Amino acid sequence: MKKNPATRAIAIAGLGLAIEAGAMNTFDDATGHLTLHTVTVDGVIHSNVAARIDAYSVLDERAGMPGPTSFDPGSGVLRLGSVHYDGNTYTNVTVRVDDYALQHATERAPAPCRALAPPKNVVIEVSTAADLVAAVSEANSAGGNRTIALADGVYELSAPLLVSAPDITVRGASGDRDAVIIHGAGMTGGVMHVFLVRGSRFTVADLSLGGVANHGIQIQGEHEAHEPTVHNVRFADTGEQMLKVSYNRNDMSKGSNRGVVQCSLFEYTAGVGPQYYIGGIDAHNAADWIVRNNTFRAIRSPESRLAEHAIHFWSASRNTLVERNIIVDSDRGIGFGLGNRSHLGGTIRNNMVYTTRDVGIGLESSSGTRVVNNSVYTVNYPNAIEYRFSATENAFIANNLTRGAIARRDDATATLASNHTSATEADFEDPTNGNLRLATPIASVIDQALALPDVRDDIDGTPRPQGSAPDIGAHEWSGR
């Protein structure tokens, strides 16, 4: 085992890992991918977790019976009871990890959005649209592993940017997403996308994009574009869904896995979209994605037909984690599955959702999904949360604070516990602007939730509980 020179990940401070001793963990030195059979994150056990380790050194290897396995984030020392590497099994391996990222949807990140780490690969600096087009072409031709840093300014495209090589990053150099704008010819113009992505581990950060006829970003799962990261990006005014994860319905063996969308804004600046066939994130056959700490505004149709959800994972998507998002003034909020196009597993937690025409959170043919500690305010529609169709089974819906019913439809099955469905406008600080934090303590909400091992904080990162038990909803009352 040797040091991997690649540096592609973001260090996550304070993440505690304890790995089952003797389990079959595997490591691929070429990619830095570490697969953990069983991992405990903050006391919660998860299986088949994927991590990417980009800077490490092996400190020790000893034969014999596998010993205890642990990770010390202070020293960066990872002790593996056993690891399968390059066709061989090693026991009691000690590794110092300098740069790593947990890629499965089991990560518990801090609520504040932090800047990405500085690039460690080849950086190409650009300041014009022509420079940008040339830099993407150069990065593709070089086989990837490039960062394209954009100076503040406006970059007008005449065609989409095709990203075909792996490990390409496009980011604003200043870190101010409002100062770097990439756009096409408008929602009715001839530029379909800003980015069309076929390469894995694409990262886009610290910029604004939009003004295109179809999607701001299309991740092509049919080309197995895995592990994209969208960080601190403003999406605005696209003709269709803002972030699309596409697939080939005739080849379901291929999809996009382990994407992360965080700290970003999705909005229509006119307060309404151009047609009904729009949405925020629309993902098909996507596995193990994380969507967190984002805001969605005015994902609304101008027609009688509804817009798609602000966040929608369906068509055999699975194990999606959607947490700490704010959805404002949109037709529909968060959807797992649609009709018979399924979703499997996953968690929807600590979100604030304000919808104006339809359901806030909807499960359709979504089996084994957890909907916990959300605050949902729905107007012009009776149900805040729905679970539908017989393929929705073993769902768990608990600790949700809603204005609107939690409704079973079409033979779905779920366990419901400790939900409060009679919230009023006065209970929240500013519901029409998506602020569903409690305005005052409510006796039937405060300290009334079930203590759940996968809900240890609230939308703001406030630890739960603050009292004798956790609070119902996305906001844990702490005296404000």
Side-chain angles (χ1 to χ4, degrees):
M1 299 176 73
K2 57 182 171 49
K3 185 176 176 65
N4 183 354
T7 53
R8 294 185 295 269
I10 308 160
I12 303 169
L15 180 67
L17 301 180
I19 305 160
E20 180 183 298
M24 184 54 70
N25 309 304
T26 62
F27 180 69
D28 182 347
D29 185 76
T31 63
H33 288 174
L34 173 68
T35 300
L36 307 175
H37 178 271
T38 302
V39 58
T40 300
V41 181
D42 289 334
V44 182
I45 297 173
H46 305 273
S47 299
N48 301 319
V49 173
R52 189 171 71 234
I53 297 177
D54 294 314
Y56 66 92
S57 54
V58 177
L59 303 180
D60 195 12
E61 273 174 30
R62 298 178 184 176
M65 293 297 293
T69 308
S70 63
F71 179 71
D72 179 359
S75 64
V77 172
L78 172 68
R79 292 184 173 88
L80 297 169
S82 68
V83 59
H84 189 69
Y85 165 73
D86 197 24
N88 298 306
T89 299
Y90 301 84
T91 56
N92 303 319
V93 178
T94 302
V95 180
R96 183 169 59 239
V97 179
D98 302 313
D99 198 4
Y100 65 94
L102 191 67
Q103 294 294 327
H104 193 275
T106 60
E107 183 175 337
R108 179 172 174 263
C113 292
R114 299 178 178 177
L116 294 184
K120 298 178 181 179
N121 56 8
V122 176
V123 177
I124 307 170
E125 297 180 349
V126 303
S127 58
T128 69
D131 290 345
L132 175 58
V133 172
V136 172
S137 178
E138 176 185 338
N140 287 330
S141 298
N145 197 26
R146 297 289 189 274
T147 292
I148 301 170
L150 282 67
D152 290 354
V154 178
Y155 298 76
E156 183 172 347
L157 302 177
S158 59
L161 297 167
L162 172 63
V163 178
S164 58
D167 303 302
I168 292 176
T169 294
V170 180
R171 63 189 297 181
S174 68
D176 181 356
R177 72 183 180 197
D178 295 323
V180 178
I181 302 170
I182 310 174
H183 69 88
M187 291 185 284
T188 60
V191 181
M192 297 298 102
H193 321 294
V194 173
F195 292 106
L196 182 63
V197 180
R198 296 176 181 171
S200 289
R201 296 178 298 279
F202 171 69
T203 297
V204 60
D206 304 328
L207 53 80
S208 297
L209 54 83
V212 290
N214 289 4
H215 317 298
I217 301 174
Q218 181 174 342
I219 306 294
Q220 292 194 296
E222 62 270 31
H223 288 279
E224 297 185 290
H226 297 310
E227 301 177 27
T229 297
V230 177
H231 175 87
N232 191 34
V233 173
R234 177 177 178 258
F235 292 77
D237 300 337
T238 62
E240 296 182 0
Q241 298 87 358
M242 295 182 175
L243 174 57
K244 180 86 167 187
V245 183
S246 57
Y247 77 128
N248 179 356
R249 66 180 63 193
N250 296 316
D251 186 2
M252 298 297 288
S253 67
K254 295 179 180 179
S256 179
N257 301 337
R258 298 182 298 277
V260 177
V261 184
Q262 61 187 11
C263 309
S264 295
L265 170 63
F266 299 75
E267 65 176 344
Y268 282 99
T269 57
V272 66
Q275 56 154 333
Y276 82 92
Y277 188 61
I278 58 172
I281 300 172
D282 174 29
H284 301 266
N285 196 26
D288 303 325
W289 275 59
I290 300 171
V291 179
R292 63 183 173 206
N293 295 92
N294 304 288
T295 297
F296 299 80
R297 292 179 183 153
I299 313 299
R300 298 175 55 223
S301 165
E303 308 171 20
S304 59
R305 298 181 67 175
L306 296 171
E308 200 172 348
H309 306 73
I311 304 171
H312 193 197
F313 283 78
W314 55 316
S315 305
S317 292
R318 52 213 176 271
N319 301 327
T320 312
L321 173 62
V322 176
E323 65 174 350
R324 294 194 294 265
N325 300 283
I326 296 175
I327 299 172
V328 189
D329 196 20
S330 296
D331 284 0
R332 292 186 277 193
I334 301 167
F336 280 8
L338 188 69
N340 64 359
R341 296 169 68 175
S342 66
H343 185 280
L344 176 65
T347 299
I348 301 169
R349 68 184 178 207
N350 280 337
N351 300 283
M352 294 183 177
V353 181
Y354 179 87
T355 57
T356 55
R357 295 180 64 191
D358 203 85
V359 71
I361 298 174
L363 306 182
E364 300 191 18
S365 300
S366 187
S367 177
T369 300
R370 295 172 66 81
V371 180
V372 291
N373 284 96
N374 300 283
S375 296
V376 183
Y377 194 105
T378 302
V379 297
N380 304 315
Y381 191 76
N383 302 330
I385 299 173
E386 293 181 346
Y387 53 109
R388 300 188 65 183
F389 305 116
S390 59
T392 296
E393 55 186 3
N394 299 320
F396 182 69
I397 303 173
N399 297 349
N400 297 286
L401 176 61
T402 68
R403 181 191 183 276
I406 299 176
R408 172 182 181 263
R409 299 179 61 186
D410 306 301
D411 301 318
T413 59
T415 298
L416 275 63
S418 299
N419 298 291
H420 181 95
T421 61
S422 57
T424 67
E425 183 176 4
D427 294 335
F428 301 110
E429 289 190 2
D430 189 5
T432 59
N433 286 308
N435 185 352
L436 299 182
R437 294 169 182 82
L438 294 175
T440 58
I442 303 168
S444 55
V445 172
I446 302 297
D447 300 343
Q448 300 302 309
L450 294 177
L452 302 176
D454 56 338
V455 185
R456 293 174 172 268
D457 56 13
D458 74 351
I459 191 170
D460 299 313
T462 302
R464 296 180 187 265
Q466 290 291 301
S468 59
D471 299 343
I472 294 172
H475 174 223
E476 184 80 5
W477 179 261
S478 58
R480 66 172 181 82

